[in-house]
Amino acid sequence: MTVTINHLKTFTKAVGACTFLLGSLTVSGCDFFSEASSTSPSANSNDAQDKFLPIPTNPPEVEPVVQATGWNREAIQAFASRLPDQRIFSSLSVANDGQIVATVPKQNEKPYEVVLFDPKTKKVETIAAVEGKYAQCAVADVNDQWVVWSEALDQQFLDWNMHVYDRRTHQDRIVYSSPKDSQGHGYPGVLWAPHLFENEFVFSPTVGPATATGPGFVAKKYNLLTNTFTDLTTSGYNPVLTKDFDMWVGYDSEEQDGELFWNRGKVTKQVTKGVHPKYFSVEGDSYAWSNHLNRQWTIGISENGEQKTLVKSGEADALQFLTMSQRILAWTSYEKTQVYDRKLEKLITLDQKPATTVTTKGHYLYWAIPSGTPEQQQQIAKDSGIVAADMYLVDLDKI
């Protein structure tokens, strides 16, 4: 889940009431930052009840995916979003070894936890227990050695901690916390969405109040080996990190809107014009985005020096939460679950129902389809703070 502020006006005034671009993860609406709109805990908060409502837990069928995609059956794992103790989890990211970083709201008299879950062995490794009435894990990224995850501490999403978990030593530590105002609270801003590459990660904390000259947040890079921070830019947000460049959203004064910028070879350059991306994702030298112009969502991609449009939505749909790997470009939709196969240059429908999440990273793709009847889904969300799902994990090297 994510929280946003107005990406149309944030560079010229304080928090607005529209949508703020957060790359591959976003929630629209600045009402998250209004105390009046935050009178109840979020669905994933530690205030969720301990009750547990059993619903069908049989593993979902693989055959419909095989028939829809033509992929090798052996490449696809299908399983319920439940740990061995039957607690329901929500996936956040996937590692190169196929283990999933997940949040597990308070259930079965156990605390809210962030865990690593191996769908093959069913092994669960606890990263940390999340304490505090409204505290929750917002975003996580993972590689072979590290898990980096952000912890929102309050309902207004003002106070944050950034955590690093060492997968080799099994130690979790806080490396950064929100700077505070005179009242001891953090400042409104973008979601703390860490993006990890090798031994560094980037994110956008808000370090001060919005002013006439800027929104108050910066794009920071943290080196996990030297334990040092550097500022990528003080005029951009939502950074991502690759081998060859850093990318973020900056302000185009002519368009009066956000556009994509990168720093490559220590040279900063604006790489989109008139795109106004709502979401973006990067893989290698390629980057993709989705935008919402003229009442229509569009997904575009830049690769091999050429920008092109891949998908257009109907007026009632929304193409959001982009992620991209070498083989797949993925997103969520209100209507159905689809991905774009970059190798075959083909749109693939995974399910006629919309997924709650569709994510690709490295050589994996996974998605989750709510399970049970609508009545069961509503009841278990009320009791456990989360919706159970049928999950599919695909090894793209084997399809």
Side-chain angles (χ1 to χ4, degrees):
M1 67 143 304
T2 62
V3 188
T4 67
I5 62 176
N6 179 6
H7 88 279
L8 302 177
K9 300 177 181 177
T10 185
F11 287 85
T12 57
K13 61 184 292 186
V15 177
C18 298
T19 303
F20 198 62
L21 186 148
L22 285 175
S24 62
L25 292 171
T26 296
V27 164
S28 301
C30 300
D31 288 343
F32 275 112
F33 301 115
S34 166
E35 293 186 10
S37 66
S38 300
T39 56
S40 61
S42 70
N44 285 341
S45 79
N46 277 343
D47 227 25
Q49 300 297 314
D50 290 334
K51 298 177 182 178
F52 178 72
L53 176 68
I55 65 173
T57 59
N58 295 330
E61 295 292 333
V62 171
E63 188 60 32
V65 179
V66 174
Q67 293 179 358
T69 63
W71 292 344
N72 185 349
R73 188 188 313 273
E74 301 304 315
I76 307 167
Q77 286 181 260
F79 51 96
S81 62
R82 292 178 181 271
L83 302 181
D85 63 6
Q86 292 300 296
R87 285 182 297 163
I88 304 170
F89 66 84
S90 177
S91 56
L92 294 175
S93 189
V94 62
N96 289 331
D97 58 6
Q99 293 194 53
I100 292 172
V101 182
T103 60
V104 190
K106 187 178 180 182
Q107 298 166 71
N108 298 3
E109 299 183 348
K110 293 187 177 181
Y112 186 127
E113 292 182 326
V114 183
V115 304
L116 274 168
F117 173 64
D118 190 328
K120 292 182 178 180
T121 66
K122 308 304 179 184
K123 177 183 176 182
V124 180
E125 178 180 340
T126 300
I127 294 173
V130 180
E131 301 177 349
K133 186 175 182 180
Y134 301 121
Q136 59 184 293
C137 174
V139 181
D141 202 1
V142 59
N143 62 19
D144 291 338
Q145 182 171 353
W146 310 103
V147 177
V148 183
W149 61 282
S150 61
E151 178 188 19
L153 301 174
D154 65 308
Q155 287 182 287
Q156 288 74 39
F157 298 92
L158 301 177
D159 296 318
W160 295 82
N161 287 328
M162 185 63 73
H163 292 250
V164 171
Y165 179 76
D166 190 325
R167 297 183 64 184
R168 298 176 184 177
T169 65
H170 309 288
Q171 297 295 312
D172 181 81
R173 59 192 172 100
I174 296 172
V175 297
Y176 192 84
S177 297
S178 298
K180 302 294 191 287
D181 62 17
S182 60
Q183 303 299 314
H185 301 295
Y187 300 95
V190 297
L191 177 80
W192 286 26
H195 188 275
L196 178 65
F197 181 77
E198 294 183 348
N199 295 307
E200 295 181 309
F201 72 90
V202 291
F203 70 114
S204 297
T206 307
V207 298
T211 67
T213 60
F217 45 72
V218 299
K220 285 185 175 291
K221 180 189 290 186
Y222 184 76
N223 188 300
L224 290 155
L225 299 181
T226 63
N227 298 316
T228 55
F229 280 102
T230 56
D231 289 349
L232 294 177
T233 177
T234 57
S235 59
Y237 57 94
N238 190 34
V240 298
L241 189 61
T242 74
K243 177 182 178 181
D244 297 317
F245 61 88
D246 310 317
M247 180 171 279
W248 61 84
V249 182
Y251 183 63
D252 185 322
S253 58
E254 292 182 358
E255 296 285 333
Q256 297 186 354
D257 208 330
E259 295 291 347
L260 296 180
F261 290 73
W262 70 16
N263 182 290
R264 190 178 188 124
K266 299 183 179 180
V267 176
T268 298
K269 178 183 177 181
Q270 182 175 337
V271 296
T272 62
K273 186 73 173 180
V275 169
H276 314 323
K278 297 288 187 183
Y279 304 85
F280 77 97
S281 189
V282 174
E283 194 282 323
D285 285 335
S286 302
Y287 52 94
W289 64 88
S290 70
N291 57 21
H292 187 231
L293 301 173
N294 301 318
R295 302 178 67 182
Q296 184 178 52
W297 284 84
T298 300
I299 293 178
I301 191 170
S302 175
E303 52 187 349
N304 302 319
E306 178 184 357
Q307 293 186 3
K308 59 183 179 181
T309 298
L310 299 179
V311 183
K312 289 183 177 290
S313 76
E315 289 188 7
D317 199 5
L319 310 177
Q320 305 176 90
F321 306 105
L322 268 65
T323 53
M324 184 163 61
S325 60
Q326 187 174 5
R327 179 68 185 261
I328 294 292
L329 173 61
W331 60 90
T332 62
S333 163
Y334 294 156
E335 296 181 350
K336 61 181 69 175
T337 305
Q338 294 182 307
V339 296
Y340 179 78
D341 189 320
R342 299 176 62 196
K343 179 180 179 180
L344 301 180
E345 298 184 344
K346 178 183 178 182
L347 190 65
I348 297 175
T349 299
L350 303 173
D351 200 302
Q352 292 297 328
K353 299 185 295 293
T356 56
T357 183
V358 190
T359 300
T360 184
K361 183 181 178 185
H363 61 101
Y364 281 102
L365 165 70
Y366 70 85
W367 66 97
I369 305 291
S371 59
T373 67
E375 292 77 14
Q376 288 172 321
Q377 294 169 15
Q378 292 175 6
Q379 184 63 47
I380 202 164
K382 177 182 177 181
D383 291 341
S384 300
I386 192 170
V387 174
D390 294 335
M391 294 199 62
Y392 302 86
L393 179 65
V394 179
D395 187 337
L396 298 171
D397 288 343
K398 298 179 179 180
I399 61 175

